[in-house]
């Protein structure tokens, strides 16, 4: 029984260190992101009507690693359950988001290749008439969306600035293929960066949920062992 108790205590110590490290890392990343968003917001806005929302979301986000930190230090099974449960939920959400952005990456790659193949303006093996007509349809849809938004702006007596005029020119049918190539490249770069960052966050959440649950199970097993020993 004593050997089993020592093995359990050794496992508890190692899992405690893992939970403390993971929760500390998560808290640091959340604080860094919250401070960055706050600084960016105050640079772009002279008022602070949404600052409380940013702070509120940050407080809710940092409460999860706090549960892990204090749960591991105080060996509180309830806090560890909260820590592992929400990290498992966040890990599942990360997997879903990674899947969505992977689909976006594939779509942007296909769109970029199609626009590049049709850039010459003639029908080839890699760009038949049907595919070129489909791309032209995308161009017309973009142009209609921009025209409708500008119409809404002009109805409120707001002057269309030079930036809006440039957007109209870029999304016109004549230059739409160039725009599609550029947009697809930007989408691919953005999707790759976001997927890599999200994979890191997903690994952090899944590892936190795993080790938090393991530590909670070890503490529960240790409590049962101590209760049985006391009864004997």
């Amino acid at each position: 029984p004593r050997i089993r108790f020592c093995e359990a205590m050794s496992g508890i110590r190692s899992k405690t260190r893992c939970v403390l490290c993971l929760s500390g890392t998560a808290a640091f990343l959340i604080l860094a992101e919250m401070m960055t968003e706050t600084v960016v917001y105050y640079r772009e806005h002279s008022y602070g009507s949404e600052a409380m929302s940013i702070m509120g979301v940050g407080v809710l986000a940092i409460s999860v690693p706090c549960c892990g930190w204090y749960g591991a230090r105080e060996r509180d099974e309830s806090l560890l359950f909260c820590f592992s449960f929400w990290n498992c939920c966040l890990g599942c959400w990360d997997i879903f988001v990674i899947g969505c952005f992977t689909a976006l990456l594939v779509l942007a790659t296909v769109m970029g290749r199609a626009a590049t193949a049709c850039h010459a303006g003639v029908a080839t093996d890699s760009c038949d008439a049907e595919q070129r007509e489909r791309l032209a349809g995308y161009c017309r849809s973009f142009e209609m969306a921009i025209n409708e938004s500008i119409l809404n702006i002009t109805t409120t007596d707001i002057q269309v600035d030079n930036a809006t005029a440039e957007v109209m020119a870029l999304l016109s049918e004549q230059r739409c293929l160039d725009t599609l190539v550029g947009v697809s490249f930007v989408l691919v770069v953005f999707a790759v960066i976001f997927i890599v960052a999200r994979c890191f966050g997903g690994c952090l959440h899944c590892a936190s949920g795993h080790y938090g649950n393991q530590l909670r199970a070890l503490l529960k097993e240790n409590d049962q062992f101590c209760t049985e020993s006391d009864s004997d």
Side-chain angles (χ1 to χ4, degrees), residues 2-228:
R2 183 176 180 80
I3 295 176
R4 181 185 174 188
F5 176 75
C6 292
E7 289 177 350
M9 289 301 297
S10 177
I12 288 174
R13 291 193 185 97
S14 63
K15 297 298 185 298
T16 299
R17 286 193 294 268
C18 289
V19 172
L20 289 175
C21 181
L22 290 169
S23 58
T25 302
F28 172 78
L29 293 175
I30 292 171
L31 286 175
E33 182 179 2
M34 185 171 63
M35 291 177 63
T36 302
E37 291 180 355
T38 303
V39 171
V40 170
Y41 176 80
Y42 277 111
R43 282 184 177 180
E44 295 181 352
H45 302 82
S46 58
Y47 52 89
S49 60
E50 297 180 2
M52 294 303 297
S53 299
I54 297 175
M55 298 297 294
V57 172
V59 170
L60 290 176
I62 205 171
S63 63
V64 176
C66 285
C67 287
W69 179 272
Y70 288 105
R73 285 180 61 88
E74 303 298 329
R75 296 184 177 179
D76 190 309
E77 295 182 21
S78 299
L79 291 177
L80 288 173
F81 173 79
C82 177
F83 175 71
S84 59
F85 173 78
W86 284 111
N87 272 290
C88 288
C89 292
L90 290 172
C92 293
W93 173 251
D94 288 330
I95 294 173
F96 173 76
V97 173
I98 290 171
C100 293
F101 272 81
T102 302
L104 175 63
L105 176 62
V106 173
L107 179 63
T109 303
V110 172
M111 183 179 69
R113 289 180 177 177
T116 302
C118 295
H119 189 271
V122 294
T124 60
D125 294 336
S126 58
C127 178
D128 54 15
E130 182 181 355
Q131 188 173 11
R132 186 168 182 81
E133 181 61 28
R134 188 183 304 115
L135 289 174
Y138 294 155
C139 294
R140 287 191 293 269
S141 298
F142 291 154
E143 189 175 3
M144 288 176 59
I146 292 297
N147 288 336
E148 288 179 1
S149 63
I150 293 176
L151 180 62
N152 293 332
I153 293 175
T154 54
T155 53
T156 57
D157 295 330
I158 298 177
Q159 295 295 329
V160 180
D161 55 6
N162 293 330
T164 306
E166 291 178 2
V167 171
M168 288 182 63
L170 287 174
L171 293 179
S172 63
E173 190 170 354
Q174 291 76 15
R175 301 182 60 183
C176 186
L177 290 179
D178 292 334
T179 304
L180 286 178
V181 173
V183 168
S184 62
F185 176 76
V186 173
L187 287 177
V188 167
V189 173
F190 173 75
V192 169
I193 294 175
F194 188 88
I195 288 173
V196 171
R198 205 72 187 191
C199 284
F200 174 77
C203 291
L204 180 63
H205 290 145
C206 292
S208 298
H210 173 70
Y211 285 107
N213 189 55
Q214 280 195 339
L215 177 58
R216 188 176 69 89
L218 284 174
L219 290 175
K220 187 175 182 179
E221 181 182 355
N222 184 64
D223 291 340
Q224 291 178 351
F225 176 76
C226 293
T227 303
E228 292 175 358

